[in-house]
Amino acid sequence: RQSHRKSSREDTAAANRLRVLAPQHTLATFYYSRGVNMTASVSTTKKKQPRLEWLSLMKGVAAIVMVIAHFVQNLSIYPGVVVDKFYIRETAWMPYVRIIPVFFCFVSGISHRLWIASMETKLANADNAKDVIVKISIRRAVFLYVFDHFGTCVCFQPSYVFDVDIMTFYAASMLILTTLWKVRTSNGWYLLLALFWVAVAPWARQVSRYDSFRANDGALEPPLLEEHGEYYRSLDLIRNLFANGTFPLFPWMALPLAGYVYTDVVLLPTMEETTPTHSHARSKCIVFGLGLCMIAGSFATMVITGMSWEDDFTIRPFTPVCQVALLGYVLVLFIVIPLVIQFLHINKTYAGISNNILVFGNHSLSLWAMHHAAHLVPLKIITGGELGAIGLEPDLSIKLAILFLAIFPSVITLMKRCGVPTAESLMRWLCDM
């Protein structure tokens, strides 16, 4: 009888621990209710991996620049304005925005690797943990795909659904990275695959008739779609995913792969150790030097071969020399920016600013959806569905973007108080159970 009471008390204590940890360990509660022993994995002494504040801050800054760039691109393109590779030439800073999508694609590989590491910790003693992670990844990819297409229909035009936007690319890259993780591919193979996506890209664009589906220096235009009815066939949708879309897998998939390897080699070992070691400093120096070499090599190649900055250093199509240079910039930033943030932590003014920027970094998916709705839906109403016809001055577009950015943190706070799910919480609620 005493042993029975003791086992009952232990079961009750285990259940109470799971209930207390439920917000952080919903999967553990889920499997405990189905008889799987998750107590050991939840109560393990291994700490939960902390959110990297500097990474969220970098995402927040990049998201702010993205919002301003989209407002200018979509509201200030009008007849008579010279558009260079989908960027307004009169706005001097716009060409440098090319690094923003490169940054986010690189970060997508980092985020996915960190998420897998956290799931491996939570499901350390669960049966079929790898299968559970794969299924959740598939559900998340489907969510991003549907979320992207719904937003495209509402904010843009239905014909744009057949393009491959950034969220569709994230969904596809998530499935590829999960598959490679499932088969336990080494980091060397990740790098070889990254080189493969870059090297094959020019040939893939040629085979898939890239130029016949892109107009206006890389912008996808509905009139062109109407002239090519075969665009709507399944075969052409596959072409868009691999070569013709705004963010095709060839060569953009190389960036999540690079982010995945960077996390495995640099970030995760640093997070597991409480104090920095010489190996951590050595790996960061190698990454920093590699980034500088990629930048210098790309620019030297352009000068030696006589490439044109306007025609050969573009992201639509994403030329190899441009991709190598921009990825080099991102690698350098990932070494320099954390050091700058660490130095600024001693300033009290920085703390208040960083808290606001973290809102954008931690809710980048919601920001992506809401900023499109905030300026494209009114634009469609004003112009009767014709995008890009209002022709605002770029300075006015920037002011409207700043107004939206000032309101966004309050909107997120209000949504949380009222119990309205954000895009991030909705994805976790639908996919992580």
Side-chain angles (χ1 to χ4, degrees), residues 62-72 367 371 375 401-402 404-405:
I64 292 172
V65 178
M66 173 196 70
V67 170
I68 297 175
H70 283 170
F71 269 71
V72 174
L367 181 67
H371 94 278
H375 76 284
I402 294 175
F404 168 81
L405 292 170

Side-chain angles (χ1 to χ4, degrees), residues 53-274:
E53 181 179 320
W54 61 266
L55 180 59
S56 297
L57 286 171
M58 290 181 66
K59 288 171 58 179
V61 173
I64 292 172
V65 178
M66 173 196 70
V67 170
I68 297 175
H70 283 170
F71 269 71
V72 174
Q73 288 177 1
N74 296 324
L75 300 180
S76 298
I77 296 179
Y78 53 92
V81 172
V82 179
V83 179
D84 178 25
K85 301 301 176 187
F86 205 49
Y87 293 99
I88 301 174
R89 186 177 295 173
E90 279 79 355
T91 308
W93 57 272
M94 286 294 285
Y96 301 100
V97 179
R98 293 186 180 109
I99 197 173
I100 299 301
V102 176
F103 168 83
F104 276 115
C105 291
F106 183 79
V107 169
S108 68
I110 294 177
S111 300
H112 191 65
R113 183 65 187 96
L114 292 175
W115 175 79
I116 287 179
S118 66
M119 293 299 297
E120 288 177 323
T121 301
K122 291 179 182 179
L123 302 176
N125 294 339
D127 297 333
N128 300 324
K130 293 181 64 174
D131 293 336
V132 173
I133 294 174
V134 169
K135 291 177 182 178
I136 295 177
S137 297
I138 294 174
R139 290 196 291 266
R140 285 191 167 206
V142 172
F143 174 87
L144 291 177
Y145 183 82
V146 175
F147 188 77
D148 180 34
H149 281 57
F150 176 78
T152 300
C153 290
V154 173
C155 299
F156 290 91
Q157 296 180 7
S159 59
Y160 279 71
V161 170
F162 298 94
D163 192 14
V164 177
D165 203 359
I166 188 70
M167 291 301 164
T168 302
F169 170 77
Y170 284 168
S173 64
M174 184 181 297
L175 295 177
I176 294 174
L177 290 176
T178 304
T179 302
L180 295 175
W181 168 81
K182 173 72 173 179
V183 299
R184 295 296 183 185
T185 307
S186 64
N187 288 327
W189 283 106
Y190 281 98
L191 295 177
L192 288 176
L193 287 173
L195 294 175
F196 167 79
W197 291 104
V198 175
V200 177
W203 175 81
R205 285 193 293 266
Q206 182 179 2
V207 171
S208 60
R209 298 176 297 147
Y210 177 88
D211 293 334
S212 67
F213 292 108
R214 312 297 295 194
N216 192 22
D217 290 328
L220 186 69
E221 292 196 350
L224 189 63
L225 301 184
E226 295 174 0
E227 297 173 6
H228 296 272
E230 70 275 11
Y231 186 94
Y232 296 95
R233 298 184 307 186
S234 300
L235 178 60
D236 293 302
L237 296 179
I238 297 175
R239 289 173 179 171
N240 296 335
L241 175 63
F242 284 96
N244 289 346
T246 303
F247 293 94
L249 292 176
F250 291 102
W252 286 87
M253 187 60 212
L255 298 172
L257 287 169
Y260 190 99
V261 174
Y262 172 81
T263 308
D264 226 23
V265 175
V266 179
L267 287 186
L268 286 180
T270 304
M271 295 170 62
E272 292 174 356
E273 299 292 338
T274 56

Side-chain angles (χ1 to χ4, degrees), residues 99 102 287-303 309 313 320-334 336:
I99 197 173
V102 176
V287 171
F288 183 79
L290 178 61
L292 292 179
C293 291
M294 293 172 70
I295 298 171
S298 298
F299 289 165
T301 301
M302 293 192 67
V303 173
W309 291 98
F313 198 80
V321 65
C322 181
Q323 185 172 13
V324 172
L326 293 182
L327 180 56
Y329 276 118
V330 170
L331 292 177
V332 171
L333 289 175
F334 264 80
V336 174

